[in-house]
Amino acid sequence: MSRAFVFPGQGAQVIGMGKALADAYPAARAVFEEVDAALGESLSALIWEGEAEVLTLTQNAQPALMATSIAAMRALEAEGIPVTSAAYVAGHSLGEYSALCAAGSLSLADTARLLRLRGKAMQEAVPVGVGAMAALLGLDFETAAEVAKEAAQGEVCQAANDNDPAQVVVSGHKAAVERAVEIAKAKGAKRAVMLPVSAPFHCALMEPAARAMAEALDDVHIEAPKVLVVANVTAQPEDDPATIRSLLVEQVTGSVRWRESVLWMAGKGVNEFWEIGAGKALSGMIRRIASEAATRAVGTPDDVKAAAGT
């Protein structure tokens, strides 16, 4: 079996995630302790005992989801399943940082600090209410991109996330995204719905956040990863630190090419995708992209034990 480890993005967060892993595996607990130290606050207390609406804030959700993913990865490693047992790693949006950390390209402390900054910068790039995102269901990427272009009318409206063959997310100015919803329905979308997000991610309106990330990444050491990382922006494997650095900047305003990334890995013989961390959203997408592939969610001690038993 050829395996890939994939790491979830924003939206998978839930109060209590990772607590059982930290209780069962000292290596997993150490992840949360190191993230707390890197941020100078007890993010773990928020994750395990806090308020959902506070955890959902972008600046909290991003490092919290990464910490949970790396804790699950450390638990797998404790059971004898290293990251190098995968042919590739990939992550959805912020999950790309988790993938790079798991593969040894970014240190855990740097990853936590970068994601805290990324969350703040993305939130502050556009005033609340100016931007929006919408999910277009039942349209392929090319059609959704045409919808976004037609809806723009001088404003920003882009196809932001190519999630699976029938789910594309568009992002941009609120009025343009609302126009896209109506145009998509007219073009035969099964559903087109505005998303409850706080900012229009992965579009040109995020340019101020991209500049902030470029500055921050200039000061961070990036190693060549131990496992090839399939990048969001290119849907291709990358292992050159300079390229990884530039793609992380480009990713802030660029499309998340998740469907193409999964297809690329499946085309290279990957027939087993393990979703490392919170939730199972990526597993559902992967089954719609590469129906022959097996999926496994690894987010609890029982999941880890089951994975180690195979």
Side-chain angles (χ1 to χ4, degrees):
M1 300 289 281
S2 179
R3 176 188 303 156
F5 292 147
V6 297
F7 297 84
Q10 207 161 328
Q13 67 274 357
V14 61
I15 293 294
M17 63 184 183
K19 179 68 164 65
L21 287 168
D23 290 343
Y25 292 94
R29 178 167 290 277
V31 169
F32 290 102
E33 290 171 351
E34 187 173 344
V35 168
D36 286 351
L39 297 180
E41 64 181 73
S42 185
L43 183 66
S44 59
L46 170 61
I47 298 169
W48 297 337
E49 305 159 6
E51 299 294 329
E53 57 267 30
V54 181
L55 178 61
T56 299
L57 292 173
T58 304
Q59 67 193 57
N60 294 327
Q62 294 199 18
L65 284 161
M66 181 277 298
T68 303
S69 285
I70 300 304
M73 193 69 242
R74 296 285 185 267
L76 282 172
E77 289 166 352
E79 295 288 355
I81 303 175
V83 70
T84 50
S85 67
Y88 305 99
V89 295
H92 192 283
S93 191
L94 83 89
E96 189 165 327
Y97 285 79
S98 306
L100 288 162
C101 182
S105 193
L106 289 169
S107 74
L108 177 59
D110 281 342
T111 309
R113 287 189 288 262
L114 284 168
L115 286 174
R116 167 54 57 82
L117 173 66
R118 184 177 183 268
K120 282 185 174 179
M122 291 173 85
Q123 185 61 62
E124 293 169 359
V126 181
V128 173
V130 170
M133 300 180 79
L136 311 184
L137 308 181
L139 298 181
D140 61 27
F141 182 76
E142 289 73 20
T143 305
E146 290 170 8
V147 166
K149 187 176 179 181
E150 184 179 337
Q153 296 179 22
E155 295 185 306
V156 170
C157 190
Q158 292 174 229
N161 296 0
D162 183 8
N163 284 336
D164 64 42
Q167 185 192 119
V168 180
V169 174
V170 296
S171 181
H173 284 107
K174 185 169 184 283
V177 173
E178 289 171 342
R179 286 193 293 271
V181 165
E182 296 310 312
I183 293 168
K185 289 175 181 174
K187 287 186 181 289
K190 290 180 182 175
R191 285 182 70 210
V193 293
M194 302 294 286
L195 295 176
V197 295
S198 55
F201 305 127
H202 297 291
C203 76
L205 294 176
M206 288 287 112
E207 183 56 38
R211 290 195 296 270
M213 292 311 297
E215 188 175 327
L217 283 157
D218 274 346
D219 295 330
V220 169
H221 178 69
I222 300 179
E223 291 271 357
K226 298 172 189 172
V227 180
L228 285 170
V229 180
V230 180
N232 284 186
V233 169
T234 61
Q236 295 288 317
E238 308 292 349
D239 63 0
D240 174 64
T243 303
I244 288 168
R245 191 187 310 272
S246 65
L247 289 177
L248 286 176
V249 176
E250 195 176 337
Q251 189 223 55
V252 178
T253 56
S255 297
V256 175
R257 295 169 62 182
W258 187 249
R259 176 183 59 86
E260 291 175 88
S261 297
V262 172
L263 283 174
W264 188 92
M265 288 184 277
K268 293 296 180 182
V270 172
N271 50 16
E272 199 175 272
F273 291 85
W274 291 19
E275 184 170 2
I276 311 298
K280 300 178 181 180
L282 295 184
S283 296
M285 292 178 197
I286 289 164
R287 285 193 293 272
R288 291 187 288 274
I289 298 165
S291 58
E292 300 300 310
T295 60
R296 174 189 291 274
V298 183
T300 68
D302 286 347
D303 294 339
V304 172
K305 296 286 188 186
T310 59

